[in-house]
Amino acid sequence: MMARITIVMLFVLYMINYADKTIAGYSAVPIMEEFSLTQKEWGLVGSSFFWFFSIAGILGAALSDRIGTKKMLAIMAISWTVIQFGAYAIASLPMLVVARVLLGIGEGPFWATVVSHLNKWFPEEKRGLVYSTVNFGAFVGAVASAPLLVSMIDSYGWRFSWGFMGALSLLWLIIWLWIGKEKPEQNVSSIEPEKIAMPKAKWSDISGVLLSSTFIFSFLVYFAQIWGTTFAAVWEPIYLVKVFSFTNQEMAYSIAGTGLVAGLMTIVISSMGDRLYKKHRSYRKSYVLIGGVSIILGGLFFYSVTLVQSTALVLMALCLGKGFAFSVGTAASVIVSSLLPERTGLLVGVLSSLVTLAGIISPLVTGSIVQAAGDLSIGFSNAMALNALIFVVFGVLFLLFTKRNEGKINATPTIN
């Protein structure tokens, strides 16, 4: 029962986490009008969230290994509350950038801490489905909340909607401190002695894993996913409003509908990886295969957006593209979390922190591409084509090179 409660709590927290990320995109038009921002300046705002995300992710994930994942999740929720309420103090572009930078620092350790926490509650053969179920909270937070948040922005202003997200973080924190637990009580006697007996990971062990082809190409394929998710969060609302002349509410409902379907696709795809893993006990024949093929298909659907004219077909292509491409992060996390179990938090923290380089680069590159094209429709088509190319190339590399049991892998299944 407590395991299910844990999933629900982390699911809800991921909803809040991703709504915090994407609310800037939903607020883009009024914010750009209020501060007279250009496309490049808005790209700067989108990028700023990730400037220190990587450093905070690594340090925070390592800290979670020491102080416990329950405490680390609580610390993050507190920081989100304070930062989002701070929206009422924002009066200029520099202050807007600072607010997004601070939120990025507060959210940096999130995914690594979640993975480490879930690993205490679920065995390996269930983690793909569990990760993707919690990850579905990101889709719900990013898209199902869109109509509500856009309505708040239209009715009460963007600052009110940001403050509302801070209130949700505070409410989650109160419930978490009341019912959240660090690990299953029944496993204390069986798991803890084994943990105590486990030798402490040396830097040579950690560096060997970080330099292995398994880690490197897991990082690259996850990098590709974050490139796409950042594009969706920062630019998709503007794309639908400016290119297809959607109203804010039409944009919100379109993103909500396509995003929820895409999120459900990621759960189905990840569960397929679990089933193959259970059958073959091989990461290569399960998570590598499923993840690589999925992101390649996602790339093809993203490219198809540039070939169709119908609004319905564009939304369908975006939906399928996101559904296939955005499931690969789960596969990469499952693989990396197995490489050095006693340092799961650190390794997944390094992974999830490094991939945020895509979050820094993607908004800036997209803003430059759109502005350089002159015509918004052409500019966004060029950006879609670039997304597709990144997905396909990194997906192929992932399939080809994530196959050797390199470094020190303390798990009986193999990558081969």
Side-chain angles (χ1 to χ4, degrees):
M1 181 63 181
M2 193 59 216
R4 294 178 183 176
I5 292 175
T6 298
I7 289 180
V8 171
M9 289 298 297
L10 295 181
F11 177 93
V12 172
L13 187 60
Y14 214 164
M15 285 179 58
I16 297 170
N17 173 281
Y18 237 75
D20 281 344
K21 283 187 177 74
T22 56
I23 196 171
Y26 301 141
S27 313
V29 174
I31 290 176
M32 291 176 73
E33 290 175 353
E34 178 177 341
F35 297 120
S36 301
L37 304 182
T38 65
Q39 302 292 337
K40 282 188 176 180
E41 286 173 330
W42 183 247
L44 177 69
V45 173
S47 171
S48 64
F49 177 88
F50 295 99
W51 289 354
F52 297 100
F53 189 101
S54 299
I55 296 173
I58 295 172
L59 295 178
L63 180 62
S64 74
D65 285 338
R66 292 181 177 273
I67 68 173
T69 48
K70 178 185 175 180
K71 289 181 181 178
M72 194 65 204
L73 290 166
I75 291 171
M76 284 187 284
I78 293 171
S79 71
W80 306 350
T81 297
V82 174
I83 294 164
Q84 292 295 65
F85 276 124
Y88 286 97
I90 297 174
S92 64
L93 174 60
M95 295 176 72
L96 179 63
V97 169
V98 169
R100 297 302 287 175
V101 168
L102 292 176
L103 186 63
I105 293 172
E107 294 194 358
F110 177 77
W111 182 242
T113 305
V114 166
V115 168
S116 184
H117 192 78
L118 290 172
N119 282 3
K120 299 171 185 177
W121 291 85
F122 298 94
E124 281 184 301
E125 62 270 15
K126 294 183 179 180
R127 289 176 186 170
L129 178 59
V130 171
Y131 290 178
S132 62
T133 299
V134 172
N135 188 59
F136 183 51
F139 287 90
V140 175
V143 298
S145 63
L148 173 62
L149 293 177
V150 169
S151 178
M152 284 185 181
I153 292 167
D154 289 342
S155 300
Y156 306 108
W158 62 270
R159 290 179 177 84
F160 178 88
S161 65
W162 289 33
F164 173 78
M165 292 308 305
L168 289 183
S169 298
L170 179 60
L171 178 61
W172 183 92
L173 172 65
I174 294 170
I175 298 173
W176 179 248
L177 293 176
W178 175 37
I179 66 173
K181 293 188 181 298
E182 182 71 21
K183 57 192 171 185
E185 292 179 4
Q186 64 268 30
N187 287 350
V188 171
S189 59
S190 60
I191 292 179
E192 202 62 30
E194 183 182 341
K195 274 192 159 183
I196 294 173
M198 188 177 292
K200 194 172 183 180
K202 300 177 182 177
W203 170 245
S204 59
D205 298 332
I206 297 171
S207 62
V209 169
L210 294 178
L211 296 175
S212 69
S213 67
T214 296
F215 183 90
I216 290 171
F217 290 102
S218 293
F219 153 68
L220 288 177
V221 79
Y222 201 176
F223 177 97
Q225 176 189 318
I226 297 301
W227 185 284
T229 54
T230 305
F231 172 85
V234 175
W235 292 106
E236 188 177 359
I238 297 175
Y239 174 58
L240 295 179
V241 170
K242 296 295 186 181
V243 176
F244 291 96
S245 301
F246 281 26
T247 65
N248 282 344
Q249 283 297 326
E250 287 172 340
M251 171 270 291
Y253 283 112
S254 296
I255 291 179
T258 58
L260 285 175
V261 172
L264 290 171
M265 284 178 63
T266 65
I267 293 178
V268 172
I269 291 168
S270 297
S271 66
M272 290 171 60
D274 281 345
R275 286 197 294 269
L276 289 174
Y277 173 79
K278 192 172 183 179
K279 178 180 179 180
H280 299 290
R281 307 300 292 182
S282 164
Y283 288 109
R284 176 158 180 77
K285 294 178 181 178
S286 54
Y287 301 112
V288 175
L289 176 64
I290 293 295
V293 171
S294 293
I295 196 168
I296 290 171
L297 289 174
L300 296 177
F301 278 111
F302 258 77
Y303 184 71
S304 72
V305 171
T306 68
L307 305 177
V308 297
Q309 301 298 322
S310 164
T311 301
L313 290 177
V314 167
L315 291 175
M316 187 180 300
L318 281 173
C319 176
L320 293 173
K322 290 188 289 188
F324 280 114
F326 296 176
S327 64
V328 74
T330 297
S333 297
V334 171
I335 292 169
V336 169
S337 70
S338 72
L339 298 181
L340 208 58
E342 65 270 30
R343 297 311 301 268
T344 294
L346 176 60
L347 287 182
V348 179
V350 172
L351 175 70
S352 57
S353 296
L354 289 177
V355 297
T356 57
L357 291 171
I360 297 174
I361 301 169
S362 174
L364 297 174
V365 170
T366 300
S368 297
I369 289 174
V370 172
Q371 190 160 315
D375 182 273
L376 285 178
S377 180
I378 295 174
F380 275 110
S381 291
N382 293 339
M384 292 288 185
L386 177 60
N387 288 345
L389 179 64
I390 291 172
F391 291 166
V392 171
V393 170
F394 287 177
V396 170
L397 292 174
F398 184 66
L399 285 172
L400 290 177
F401 298 109
T402 310
K403 61 184 180 181
R404 290 188 295 277
N405 196 7
E406 297 176 331
K408 200 164 222 182
I409 300 177
N410 297 329
T412 52
T414 64
I415 297 295
N416 294 315

Coordinates of all heavy atoms in Angstrom, one line a residue, residues 272-286 289 413-414 416:
M272 N 6.6 -2.2 -22.3 CA 7.2 -3.1 -23.3 C 8.6 -3.4 -23.0 O 9.1 -4.6 -23.1 CB 7.0 -2.6 -24.7 CG 5.6 -2.5 -25.2 SD 5.5 -1.6 -26.8 CE 6.5 -2.6 -27.9
G273 N 9.4 -2.4 -22.6 CA 10.8 -2.6 -22.2 C 10.9 -3.5 -21.0 O 11.7 -4.4 -21.0
D274 N 10.0 -3.3 -20.0 CA 10.0 -4.2 -18.8 C 9.7 -5.6 -19.2 O 10.4 -6.6 -18.7 CB 8.9 -3.7 -17.9 CG 9.4 -2.5 -17.1 OD1 10.6 -2.2 -17.0 OD2 8.5 -1.9 -16.4
R275 N 8.7 -5.8 -20.1 CA 8.4 -7.2 -20.4 C 9.6 -7.9 -21.2 O 9.9 -9.1 -20.9 CB 7.2 -7.2 -21.3 CG 5.9 -7.0 -20.6 CD 4.7 -7.4 -21.3 NE 4.5 -6.6 -22.5 CZ 3.8 -5.4 -22.6 NH1 3.2 -5.0 -21.5 NH2 3.6 -4.8 -23.7
L276 N 10.2 -7.2 -22.1 CA 11.4 -7.8 -22.8 C 12.5 -8.0 -21.8 O 13.2 -9.0 -21.9 CB 11.8 -6.8 -23.9 CG 10.9 -6.7 -25.1 CD1 11.4 -5.7 -26.1 CD2 10.8 -8.1 -25.8
Y277 N 12.7 -7.1 -20.8 CA 13.8 -7.3 -19.9 C 13.5 -8.6 -19.0 O 14.4 -9.3 -18.7 CB 13.9 -6.1 -19.0 CG 14.9 -6.3 -17.8 CD1 16.2 -6.1 -18.0 CD2 14.4 -6.6 -16.5 CE1 17.1 -6.3 -17.0 CE2 15.3 -6.8 -15.5 CZ 16.6 -6.6 -15.7 OH 17.5 -6.8 -14.7
K278 N 12.3 -8.7 -18.6 CA 11.9 -9.9 -17.8 C 12.1 -11.2 -18.5 O 12.5 -12.2 -18.0 CB 10.5 -9.8 -17.4 CG 10.0 -10.8 -16.3 CD 8.6 -10.4 -15.8 CE 8.3 -11.4 -14.6 NZ 6.9 -11.1 -14.1
K279 N 11.9 -11.1 -19.9 CA 12.1 -12.3 -20.7 C 13.6 -12.6 -21.0 O 14.0 -13.8 -20.9 CB 11.4 -12.1 -22.0 CG 11.5 -13.3 -23.0 CD 10.7 -13.0 -24.3 CE 10.9 -14.1 -25.3 NZ 10.2 -13.8 -26.5
H280 N 14.4 -11.6 -21.3 CA 15.7 -11.8 -21.8 C 16.8 -11.5 -20.7 O 17.9 -11.9 -20.8 CB 16.0 -10.9 -23.0 CG 15.2 -11.2 -24.2 ND1 15.3 -12.4 -24.9 CD2 14.2 -10.5 -24.8 CE1 14.4 -12.4 -25.9 NE2 13.7 -11.2 -25.8
R281 N 16.4 -10.8 -19.6 CA 17.4 -10.3 -18.6 C 18.6 -9.6 -19.3 O 19.7 -9.8 -18.8 CB 17.9 -11.5 -17.7 CG 16.8 -12.3 -17.1 CD 15.9 -11.5 -16.2 NE 16.5 -11.1 -15.0 CZ 15.9 -10.4 -14.1 NH1 14.6 -10.0 -14.2 NH2 16.6 -10.0 -13.0
S282 N 18.3 -8.8 -20.3 CA 19.3 -8.1 -21.0 C 18.8 -6.7 -21.3 O 17.7 -6.5 -21.9 CB 19.7 -8.8 -22.3 OG 20.4 -8.0 -23.2
Y283 N 19.6 -5.7 -20.9 CA 19.2 -4.4 -21.2 C 19.2 -4.1 -22.7 O 18.4 -3.3 -23.2 CB 20.1 -3.4 -20.5 CG 19.9 -3.4 -19.0 CD1 20.9 -3.9 -18.1 CD2 18.8 -2.8 -18.4 CE1 20.7 -3.9 -16.8 CE2 18.6 -2.8 -17.1 CZ 19.5 -3.4 -16.2 OH 19.3 -3.4 -14.9
R284 N 20.2 -4.6 -23.4 CA 20.2 -4.4 -24.9 C 19.0 -4.9 -25.6 O 18.5 -4.2 -26.5 CB 21.5 -5.0 -25.5 CG 21.6 -4.8 -27.0 CD 23.0 -4.9 -27.5 NE 23.0 -4.7 -29.0 CZ 22.8 -3.5 -29.6 NH1 22.7 -2.4 -28.9 NH2 22.8 -3.4 -30.9
K285 N 18.5 -6.0 -25.2 CA 17.4 -6.6 -25.9 C 16.0 -6.1 -25.3 O 15.0 -6.5 -25.8 CB 17.4 -8.2 -25.7 CG 18.6 -8.8 -26.4 CD 18.6 -10.3 -26.2 CE 19.8 -11.0 -26.9 NZ 19.9 -12.4 -26.6
S286 N 16.1 -5.2 -24.4 CA 14.9 -4.6 -23.9 C 14.9 -3.1 -24.0 O 14.4 -2.5 -24.9 CB 14.7 -5.1 -22.4 OG 15.8 -4.8 -21.6
L289 N 16.8 -1.5 -27.1 CA 16.0 -1.7 -28.4 C 14.8 -0.8 -28.4 O 14.5 -0.1 -29.4 CB 15.6 -3.2 -28.5 CG 14.7 -3.6 -29.6 CD1 15.4 -3.3 -31.0 CD2 14.2 -5.0 -29.5
P413 N 22.1 -8.8 -14.8 CA 21.8 -8.7 -16.2 C 22.9 -8.0 -16.9 O 23.7 -7.3 -16.3 CB 20.5 -7.9 -16.2 CG 20.0 -7.9 -14.8 CD 21.2 -8.1 -13.9
T414 N 23.0 -8.2 -18.2 CA 24.1 -7.6 -19.0 C 23.5 -6.7 -20.0 O 22.3 -6.8 -20.4 CB 24.9 -8.7 -19.7 OG1 24.1 -9.4 -20.6 CG2 25.5 -9.7 -18.7
N416 N 24.8 -6.8 -23.0 CA 24.9 -7.5 -24.3 C 23.7 -8.2 -24.7 O 22.9 -8.6 -23.8 CB 26.0 -8.6 -24.1 CG 27.4 -8.0 -23.9 OD1 27.7 -7.0 -24.6 ND2 28.2 -8.4 -22.9

